[in-house]
Amino acid sequence: MKHFYILIVSLFSVCLLQAQDYKFGKVSKEEVLEKEHPKYKEANAAVLFRKHLVYYDIRKNTGLTLVTVVHERIKIYNKEGFDWANKTITGYQNGSESEEVSAIKGYTYNIVDGKLVEEKLKRNGVFKEETNKYKLKTKFTMPAVSEGSVIEYTYTIRSPFVTSIDDVPLQFEIPVNRLEAEIKIPEFFGFRMHYNPKSPIVFPIDKTKESFTYNYSQKTRTTGKTVQTDYKQRSLDYLLDFYKFQKDDIPPLKKEVYVDYLQNYAAYLRWELQYTKFPNSPIESFASTWEDVAKSIYNDAGLKQEVNRTGFFDEDLDEQLAGSKDNAEKLAKVFMYVKSKIAWNDFVGFQAESGTRTAYKDEKGNTGDINLLLVSMLRYAGFNANPVLVSTKSHGIPIFPTRNGFNYVIAAVENEDNILLLDATDKNAAIGELPARAMNWQGRIIREDGTSGWVSLMPNAKSQNTTMLNMQFDDNMVLKGKSVRDLSGLHAKEFRDRYVGLAEKDYLKILEEDKGNIVVSGLDISKEKAIGENIRQTYNFELRDEMEEINGKIYLKPMVFAGLHENPFKGEDRNYPIFFDFPTSNDKIINILIPDGYKVESLPESAIVNLKEGAGVFKFVATLNGKFLRVESSLDMNDMVYIAQDYKALKNFYAEMVNKHSEAIVLSKS
């Protein structure tokens, strides 16, 4: 019966798709009345239809232009889906050339008094802004959006950058009912198509050849006694590579915990230019290696010039470095000086957008301005410092050698023993620490002699998070105690990122959240602003309703609020790798003083659980020494990344931890 029901729903969905009209403006009343997605009922919105066209426009006066036309129809089911009514289109510019976003047209459809009504996107509702000198953004928000609305819009991007085709997305965080894509590439360009290797799904693409004729007029003049102008009709015949994609019922990206960046796992088509072959011209190859890419960026994108630029900070830096005892102190002074001197403007890029000299003068800049200035100052101070090209997590991992594979730069100091990575855009980062956005597999270091190589961006050292609870209870079953928490490394940085600058009353609310019936007092936090130093947090607490009396026995879960009481991994299977922020050691030490008149009847058993040959280790030990009960729980996660095939083992590993943390000690009155 169940299979029959699924079959009926599937057939109904297919019939509905076939009956729908996807022409722009042909939104139906049924689409607006739909209350939930027929298959993905938890979806906040759905792409009812998307068409993505890419082709080349050839004009006699302007030559080739790359054209992208997008048409989207989206259903908004509830308020959580309202974000899909906001659209940002990113265009690129380089010098005098820029991409042009035009032909924006949009409508919002609602049911009012039983009738289908539409609200037009007005011209004054479209805004354009220059993000930086390389990017332009066109933004609009669809009008009159409410729960149940259907929005529809179309726009065109005309680009002079004919050798760069943007990714064609095939999957989103919401389901797609129907998606069509057509990409037509003339034979002048040899592009290779790539799927996203991190996506668990691959869709078949139809590829064919088509012939195309470009007709144009050619003006000629003859001279003699009279000047005569003739127009002759000419034509150019060439072939097109025609890629076509049509697909119904594309599943949404599955939201899962501990994912580096969800969009990195979406299905898409990516285009790698391998050669150009224009009429009456030789083939020009664009195939390159990462060594070629790094060298090109270093020499042609201004990095070499910026990292060797001095003369504007020399006296200031000499003053800062005066009295330095050793290289470690000198390195720290240079790093802290750049961080305190130049404010990050929130723009990323491997190029110095303003230029290091201007950024130094104005005391603000993008990632390129700041970190290339850091490299320059470190070299001036005598260090073997070089830039490292990075792709941020949201930018993905480059799958073939291209300058577009990088969008960020950090600094590196090399010595005989290791490579220290530095990012002066992050005020809370210590030497050797990177912000989460930059911890993305590998970066490409470019040395002064022009050579380059890969360096790991992932932290190796474990960061420590230790919590100690000392407590006792009274005859009213109220637990009173003190919490001492020590944080080192990236745990300390994470604390500073989240809480430094927060008012104490607001932080106290956070401390008391999800800890049961608790009152916190006497809060003290030391060294929270001392970047690179360990943080210690202490407070007193009173905790009620944590002890339960049944048949004269008293049950207490000793881990109280310090334990893990819910497994973060709930699904039956996993589509994506599991990413933890950094290698970590989490220790919980619970000391309970048993009052006079009580005795311990039973304790949880000790346990050691291993994950994947020591990639993770959980230890749990409970001991009683006279009136002192001590429970120790330690979790060491030595690896940051686990593949999807490790999911079940990881889920079971965390289930064991939850079980041990949920076990109670049993007491009775003596």
Side-chain angles (χ1 to χ4, degrees), residues 431-630:
I431 293 172
E433 295 177 353
L434 296 178
R437 60 180 173 269
M439 286 190 287
N440 192 28
W441 293 102
Q442 297 182 111
R444 191 84 186 181
I445 188 170
I446 313 176
R447 299 180 177 88
E448 196 168 7
D449 61 5
T451 62
S452 68
W454 294 110
V455 296
S456 174
L457 302 172
M458 312 298 262
N460 294 317
K462 279 196 292 187
S463 298
Q464 186 79 32
N465 180 359
T466 301
T467 299
M468 178 180 287
L469 302 181
N470 297 319
M471 56 188 180
Q472 59 184 2
F473 61 91
D474 57 23
D475 290 336
N476 296 319
M477 304 298 173
V478 177
L479 286 164
K480 299 180 180 180
K482 183 175 184 178
S483 169
V484 180
R485 186 183 182 201
D486 291 304
L487 303 169
S488 73
L490 290 171
H491 278 300
K493 180 187 179 305
E494 190 175 68
F495 182 94
R496 293 183 176 102
D497 289 341
R498 291 181 179 178
Y499 305 123
V500 168
L502 199 64
E504 183 173 313
K505 64 177 182 178
D506 295 325
Y507 182 58
L508 283 173
K509 290 180 182 178
I510 293 172
L511 275 180
E512 293 177 348
E513 190 176 354
D514 298 327
K515 288 185 173 67
N517 189 0
I518 193 172
V519 176
V520 172
S521 61
L523 174 66
D524 181 70
I525 305 174
S526 64
K527 296 187 177 180
E528 73 269 30
K529 294 183 180 179
I531 307 302
E533 298 286 337
N534 294 355
I535 293 175
R536 168 162 285 199
Q537 170 190 278
T538 63
Y539 60 82
N540 301 318
F541 64 88
E542 287 192 11
L543 184 61
R544 300 174 184 272
D545 305 327
E546 285 294 316
M547 305 180 71
E548 190 175 16
E549 186 170 0
I550 303 174
N551 297 327
K553 307 290 185 183
I554 299 168
Y555 295 82
L556 168 64
K557 296 177 182 178
M559 296 299 296
V560 290
F561 54 79
L564 179 70
H565 300 302
E566 184 178 3
N567 194 335
F569 304 106
K570 297 180 175 62
E572 289 299 316
D573 52 21
R574 176 87 177 196
N575 291 329
Y576 320 126
I578 299 95
F579 279 78
F580 293 102
D581 293 333
F582 43 83
T584 180
S585 180
N586 284 274
D587 295 332
K588 315 287 185 184
I589 302 167
I590 315 296
N591 295 314
I592 303 175
L593 175 63
I594 308 298
D596 292 337
Y598 293 86
K599 65 178 181 180
V600 177
E601 292 203 353
S602 68
L603 293 175
E605 292 185 1
S606 298
I608 299 178
V609 183
N610 282 285
L611 169 68
K612 198 182 174 184
E613 300 178 350
V617 180
F618 168 64
K619 296 179 182 179
F620 184 89
V621 179
T623 56
L624 181 64
N625 185 7
K627 291 289 184 180
F628 292 94
L629 171 65
R630 185 177 180 91

Side-chain angles (χ1 to χ4, degrees), residues 27-36 75 77 109-112 114-116 148-150:
V27 172
S28 68
K29 190 174 181 179
E30 289 73 22
E31 288 173 310
V32 183
L33 287 171
E34 187 176 80
K35 298 299 182 184
E36 62 182 17
K75 170 72 180 182
Y77 291 112
Y109 297 85
N110 291 299
I111 300 295
V112 178
K115 295 182 179 180
L116 181 65
S149 295
V150 171

